[in-house]
Every structure is written in C-alpha cells, then in structure tokens.
Amino acid sequence: MEELAELESRQIQILHRIAQLELSILPLSNNSQRQELSTSTTEARLSAILVHGGVSDFSFKRAPSDYYDRSLEARRDILGAASIHHLCKSIVLVNTQAASDITDCSDRQNSKYYVVVVQYTARFSAEAVKNFLYTINNGKIPKKRFNLRLAPEEISHKLTGFEHNGVTCVGMKTDIPVILDEAIAKLHPDFFWLGGGEIDLKLGIRTSEFINFTKPFIVNCSGS
C-alpha cells in the first residue's frame, strides 16, 4: 500500500510539473487557453486519484460560465443528469463548539470539520448531523459540543484546495471525514453529479463507487 501511495504521489507531481511547463510557454494574453489547461490538469489529477482508488464509473464535464445563473432543470440538461435530484454539492462544515483540543480531522467521529454532500433540491439539517455525531460517540460527548456551521470560504479553500462551487471530496488537501446524505444513496439511477475541483468542472460518479472510495457516514440529514 505504501508503494502504491508513493507511486500515486509521484504521478500527481509529474502531472503538476507538465502543467506548469505548458503554462509557462503559453502567451500571457492567452487566458482562455491557460484556463482550459488548468482545468484539464485538475481533471487528470482527480481522475488518477479515482482510478487508483478503484473507481471506474465516473465522468467529468465542463459547464458554461453562467452555469449557476441557470435553473436546476437547465443544469440537469447540461450535465445529462437523470434528474434535478441528482445534482449535488459538497459543503465544508466546522464544529464551532468542539472542545479546545479538537482542532483537526484526526478523529472521524469527533472531527473539527466535515464535508457534507447534499442535493441542491434538499434542505440541509445541521441538527440531524449534530444528533448523529452525538449518537456515534455513545453520548460521551455533550450535545452542546456539537454545533455544525458552514465553514468560512477561506477555511474551506485552505482545507480542500478548492474554490467555492468547485469543492469535491476527491483529492482534498486535508483528509476531511465525509457525510453523504442518505437521500443520495437511495437515488435511481445511482449516478450523481457534484463539484469537480474547478468552478466550471463537474464530476459525475456511480454512487456505490463513491461510497467505497470516500467511506462516508451515510446520514439522513435533509428534507425536501
């Protein structure tokens, strides 16, 4: 496993070096080509991580710049998603009431931060996550020590390496525990879309493979 991890790391480093070399020889005025190259490098890096992690059924698609100004129905058509309910997002949460010695993500069951994947059509319930974390800790941690709030954008970027609307659970800088809303796990067909590491890059993935890859907590944490 250590040798495979080292090989993956070297592959990613090589991709980065190639990208930087290609970027350096592009004319400074060619911003669109630079952006396209940057995005394709992100896609290549995340694809390598997914394949290495045993994921085979996934797809990346580039969305137009006004993607988020469009309706969910239009976004569904752009990505070829099965329904608007298959359009999902990853949000970084911070436990603002964690004990002073809880500062990182080393304890999955009592982490300072979590990434929650929810549908755009759902209403996220922080209270449901709070109750879940209280339960898996067998009530040993007071409920008042769980207060999940949306992490500031700069914190989210620092932890994941991804910008707002580009956050994904693949290739994050920090190994943040993932919470997958139960409604996504029940979707049919079982292939959903989420951020792909760039604002205009989207990742479609087979739900079962996403679960095997990210090892998420599956929690009923939303309503319609």
Side-chain angles (χ1 to χ4, degrees):
M1 289 297 292
E2 290 183 3
E3 291 180 357
L4 287 174
E6 183 179 350
L7 177 60
E8 177 190 347
S9 177
R10 289 180 179 177
Q11 288 175 329
I12 292 172
Q13 288 174 9
I14 291 171
L15 285 171
H16 276 300
R17 289 173 182 172
I18 292 173
Q20 290 303 315
L21 178 60
E22 291 178 324
L23 282 169
S24 69
I25 62 177
L26 282 176
L28 289 174
S29 60
N30 200 339
N31 290 329
S32 61
Q33 192 173 351
R34 282 171 170 267
Q35 177 62 38
E36 183 179 348
L37 177 58
S38 174
T39 300
S40 64
T41 303
T42 298
E43 180 178 340
R45 181 177 76 87
L46 299 188
S47 294
I49 293 172
L50 286 167
V51 171
H52 176 69
V55 179
S56 59
D57 195 355
F58 66 91
S59 175
F60 284 93
K61 284 194 178 180
R62 185 74 181 270
S65 59
D66 64 346
Y67 177 81
Y68 286 104
D69 295 326
R70 304 193 186 193
S71 66
L72 290 178
E73 288 76 13
R75 298 183 205 177
R76 172 202 61 200
D77 294 343
I78 289 170
L79 299 179
S83 76
I84 59 174
H85 306 297
H86 287 73
L87 304 177
C88 305
K89 57 184 175 181
S90 304
I91 55 177
V92 179
L93 301 180
V94 55
N95 182 4
T96 62
Q97 295 300 317
S100 59
D101 60 329
I102 305 299
T103 60
D104 57 22
C105 304
S106 56
D107 184 352
R108 276 171 50 87
Q109 297 188 176
N110 186 24
S111 177
K112 180 70 173 179
Y113 304 98
Y114 288 93
V115 174
V116 179
V117 184
V118 294
Q119 297 159 298
Y120 273 99
T121 56
R123 184 177 64 254
F124 172 66
S125 171
E127 189 67 20
V129 174
K130 171 181 177 177
N131 292 334
F132 170 77
L133 294 174
Y134 176 75
T135 299
I136 64 172
N137 282 283
N138 300 313
K140 294 178 181 178
I141 302 173
K143 271 194 177 182
K144 66 180 182 180
R145 285 298 183 186
F146 298 110
N147 185 46
L148 284 301
R149 291 290 181 264
L150 188 66
E153 208 165 305
E154 62 272 17
I155 297 297
S156 175
H157 185 270
K158 180 180 179 181
L159 292 170
T160 65
F162 303 123
E163 296 180 73
H164 178 62
N165 287 333
V167 176
T168 189
C169 304
V170 182
M172 295 186 291
K173 283 185 176 180
T174 309
D175 187 17
I176 311 174
V178 177
I179 295 175
L180 178 69
D181 185 23
E182 186 179 63
I184 299 173
K186 294 180 177 179
L187 284 172
H188 293 287
D190 62 334
F191 190 96
F192 70 98
W193 290 85
L194 69 164
E198 297 276 355
I199 295 175
D200 298 335
L201 189 63
K202 305 305 167 191
L203 167 64
I205 188 168
R206 183 68 57 190
T207 312
S208 55
E209 294 194 7
F210 176 86
I211 291 172
N212 289 336
F213 178 78
T214 62
K215 304 294 190 294
F217 294 114
I218 300 178
V219 183
N220 181 2
C221 59
S222 71
S224 57

